[in-house]
Amino acid sequence: DAGVIQSPRHEVTEMGQEVTLRCKPISGHDYLFWYRQTMMRGLELLIYFNNNVPIDDSGMPEDRFSAKMPNASFSTLKIQPSEPRDSAVYFCASSPGVAGVGETQYFGPGTRLLVL
Amino acid sequence: DQQVKQNSPSLSVQEGRISILNCDYTNSMFDYFLWYKKYPAEGPTFLISISSIKDKNEDGRFTVFLNKSAKHLSLHIVPSQPGDSAVYFCAANRGGQNFVFGPGTRLSVLP
């Protein structure tokens, strides 16, 4: 398996533009997570899905952020409009089916976003 | 309000010596803890875990200790190797899939 795939790996955009980050989870994994890593706050969970359904989006910073999972093999995280403070590394991760103790998450390589 | 804290942003250790990375948590409901390792330009990878019913878990050179009364866990790496140089994240949850991560500690193992 190729692991979790994220695209693009790097994104530079101007303030006010729409940004779309993409993720393909590991085949067969039922959980998908979006994280954001910054120097100040470390690794923060933004939202996670189970079987394509959003379960917990309490970490989404504000309405400018939205995430979708139209099918089991694809998810997007959209920022509209983007702001300089959104600059961070965004990670997607997936996890196998049964929830509970013992589960671990497999992370993609991340998308480094810079908003000018 | 950070529920998982790693108070040392960085740590330097000589090759062959022991590395000790610390993690504190505030939520007494957490019952499962993990350590992840992250190299530059890569995503974090799982390293070792421990359940709250244990106080120690060992995997090769890596040992995690849990002190529930102090809400503290630590990762010991013995002996440390240059390839261990990375950022280490502590994470915790109380069942399910919602993990809370610490801010990370950057370990440098000097040859």
Side-chain angles (χ1 to χ4, degrees):
Chain A
D1 200 315
V4 176
I5 298 172
Q6 291 185 248
S7 64
R9 292 295 307 274
H10 302 273
E11 177 82 25
V12 180
T13 190
E14 291 188 345
M15 182 174 64
Q17 296 297 307
E18 177 180 293
V19 175
T20 300
L21 311 181
R22 297 173 177 79
C23 175
K24 176 178 168 53
I26 293 173
S27 177
H29 282 193
D30 293 336
Y31 289 84
L32 183 139
F33 307 80
W34 283 102
Y35 288 90
R36 177 172 68 175
Q37 183 191 13
T38 61
M39 290 293 291
M40 293 298 294
R41 301 178 66 88
L43 202 58
E44 302 174 275
L45 176 65
L46 300 178
I47 185 172
Y48 79 92
F49 296 82
N50 177 213
N51 291 322
N52 314 337
V53 176
I55 302 300
D56 184 349
D57 65 354
S58 59
M60 295 286 262
E62 48 196 276
D63 292 345
R64 296 185 297 107
F65 286 70
S66 62
K68 294 182 180 179
M69 193 165 185
N71 57 62
S73 60
F74 183 66
S75 176
T76 59
L77 177 67
K78 187 173 293 187
I79 309 172
Q80 166 63 20
S82 58
E83 297 182 3
R85 61 193 168 115
D86 301 330
S87 298
V89 181
Y90 291 81
F91 289 102
C92 177
S94 69
S95 180
V98 178
V101 172
E103 293 298 317
T104 59
Q105 300 178 13
Y106 297 81
F107 283 78
T111 295
R112 185 174 294 275
L113 173 65
L114 178 61
V115 183
L116 302 173
Chain B
D1 177 30
Q2 275 197 331
Q3 297 187 68
V4 178
K5 302 175 185 179
Q6 295 176 256
N7 292 322
S8 297
S10 63
L11 175 68
S12 292
V13 171
Q14 208 68 35
E15 181 179 4
R17 305 295 291 269
I18 184 171
S19 295
I20 300 176
L21 295 96
N22 294 304
C23 177
D24 297 287
Y25 60 96
T26 57
N27 190 337
S28 58
M29 299 297 289
F30 286 144
D31 58 8
Y32 189 60
F33 306 88
L34 304 96
W35 285 92
Y36 279 82
K37 181 166 80 172
K38 183 186 178 306
Y39 292 119
E42 296 182 11
T45 55
F46 170 73
L47 186 59
I48 192 169
S49 63
I50 188 166
S51 159
S52 61
I53 62 173
K54 295 184 175 181
D55 55 16
K56 177 182 173 182
N57 189 26
E58 191 171 353
D59 183 2
R61 297 185 296 114
F62 301 92
T63 303
V64 55
F65 296 91
L66 176 62
N67 182 335
K68 289 188 291 292
S69 60
K71 296 191 185 69
H72 176 84
L73 63 156
S74 60
L75 174 68
H76 292 211
I77 306 173
V78 183
S80 301
Q81 299 174 354
D84 297 329
S85 297
V87 177
Y88 289 79
F89 291 98
C90 170
N93 87 341
R94 46 177 179 165
Q97 294 289 335
N98 194 339
F99 286 89
V100 180
F101 282 76
T105 296
R106 182 179 301 277
L107 173 66
S108 299
V109 180
L110 309 173

